[in-house]
Amino acid sequence: MANTLSAGARFRKALEDSNPLQIVGTINAYHAMMATKVGHKAIYLSGGGVANASYGLPDLGMTSLNDVLEDVRRITAAVDTPLLVDIDTGWGGAFNIAKTVKDMTKAGAAAVHIEDQIAQKRCGHRPNKEIVSLEEMVDRVKAAVDARTDDDFFIIARTDAFQQDGLEAAVERAQACLEAGADGIFAEAVHTLDDYQAFSKGIGGRHLLANITEFGATPLFNKEELAAHGASMVLYPLSAFRAANQAALNVFEHILQDGDQKAVVDTMQTRMDLYDFLNYHDFEQKLDELFAQGKNK
């Protein structure tokens, strides 16, 4: 039976049913299918991941709205699991941000996060980030909120102010974004559990996202620790992507050095496991039925 809830409503239900809601990065439709099948209730598409995986570019704001939409459509066509999408700075001014939100909704996204870096953005865990004024960030949030065509579409305001200006300034920005209509706050590059607790207190216990990305400024806190310190969402943006990359590199090197892949076969997903995730046999059975019907005519 088809899911009658909108994507935004499915995201809100997953958030309501989870403490906290774990959101895993799925770099493509197949990863989304695997994450869904093992039981994840929400998935994520990273802007940096789109740049890296789909275009071979660094995460420096070099990809466009249409570049990201292409991957969004592929993922939402494959699974009903609600998808949170990184829309960077919204790709322009108020009209561009409005178009972004409308296009994301049409493409099947459930939620987005928009940030307060300048257009020439950097990865959130790199030095020398530049952020826009509080007023400009509030305008971005208002433009996104006003553009909603589905009241349940979930809008998260991301602030990079913590690393630049400290906790108090970051909380002030978060409060202003919530007043402008944001549904939640993405506090980037936070260092300690106490900082998350202070963030949560500062925003009155509203929805707070913790970004638990490897090799960054934030330690790999457990979901229970984060929930106890005010986080209602925990994001793992590129964990599977990094693991897949390292595995692929290992295979490439062994094939080149050994002349075959025998040494790494045990590290590979089997053909039958691939088929299981893709529901391959259901398609094959349907083909067999169609061929049988054709022969009987």
Side-chain angles (χ1 to χ4, degrees), residues 1-287:
M1 186 170 143
N3 198 320
T4 57
L5 294 176
S6 71
R10 294 198 303 274
F11 185 88
R12 289 177 186 270
K13 186 176 188 312
L15 186 53
E16 181 183 335
D17 293 345
S18 308
N19 182 35
L21 177 62
Q22 293 180 288
I23 308 171
V24 290
T26 54
I27 202 66
N28 54 37
Y30 183 61
H31 277 202
M33 293 172 78
M34 286 197 292
T36 298
K37 193 158 185 177
V38 301
H40 281 285
K41 303 303 182 187
I43 56 177
Y44 176 68
L45 183 63
S46 158
V50 171
N52 301 161
S54 295
Y55 294 92
L57 293 170
D59 182 19
L60 293 169
M62 299 164 70
T63 45
S64 70
L65 167 60
N66 286 336
D67 293 334
V68 178
L69 281 170
E70 185 63 38
D71 283 344
V72 171
R73 293 187 190 103
R74 289 172 177 171
I75 290 170
T76 59
V79 297
D80 286 332
T81 312
L83 175 68
L84 167 64
V85 182
D86 176 2
I87 61 169
D88 290 339
T89 62
W91 291 287
F95 293 145
N96 303 77
I97 292 168
K99 183 178 187 303
T100 295
V101 168
K102 289 174 181 175
D103 286 353
M104 285 290 161
T105 306
K106 288 178 185 175
V112 295
H113 66 73
I114 187 167
E115 66 195 56
D116 58 0
Q117 286 198 53
I118 62 172
Q120 292 74 37
K121 60 152 288 175
R122 298 171 185 243
C123 168
H125 290 255
R126 296 294 299 159
N128 303 319
K129 295 181 294 185
E130 294 290 338
I131 57 177
V132 299
S133 68
L134 185 151
E135 292 75 19
E136 184 171 342
M137 181 54 182
V138 166
D139 286 344
R140 287 179 182 178
V141 172
K142 286 180 177 176
V145 170
D146 290 346
R148 271 197 283 226
T149 54
D150 171 14
D151 289 342
D152 286 325
F153 190 80
F154 202 88
I155 295 173
I156 300 171
R158 167 179 148 174
T159 180
D160 286 74
F162 177 84
Q163 203 171 36
Q164 299 299 101
D165 301 325
L167 177 65
E168 188 175 334
V171 169
E172 181 185 2
R173 280 180 175 248
Q175 291 170 340
C177 289
L178 290 168
E179 288 171 11
D183 297 296
I185 296 297
F186 179 157
E188 179 64 304
V190 173
H191 299 153
T192 71
L193 290 169
D194 287 343
D195 289 331
Y196 279 117
Q197 189 77 70
F199 238 111
S200 178
K201 184 178 178 182
I203 62 173
R206 299 280 296 277
H207 286 301
L208 178 64
L209 181 148
N211 184 24
I212 306 301
T213 184
E214 304 80 17
F215 317 112
T218 306
L220 304 183
F221 297 122
N222 183 269
K223 69 172 186 175
E224 303 297 344
E225 295 176 302
L226 290 162
H229 289 80
S232 59
M233 296 171 278
V234 184
L235 179 65
Y236 311 87
L238 290 168
S239 304
F241 175 58
R242 290 191 175 102
N245 290 346
Q246 188 60 41
L249 180 61
N250 186 44
V251 169
F252 295 148
E253 290 175 342
H254 272 281
I255 288 174
L256 185 65
Q257 293 162 11
D258 303 344
D260 60 52
Q261 65 272 54
K262 294 172 188 173
V264 290
V265 166
D266 287 345
T267 70
M268 297 181 187
Q269 184 183 55
T270 67
R271 184 185 300 273
M272 292 309 296
D273 285 343
L274 172 71
Y275 287 174
D276 285 344
F277 280 110
L278 292 172
N279 298 315
Y280 177 90
H281 296 293
D282 291 345
F283 287 98
E284 195 170 58
Q285 186 177 2
K286 185 64 177 177
L287 276 179

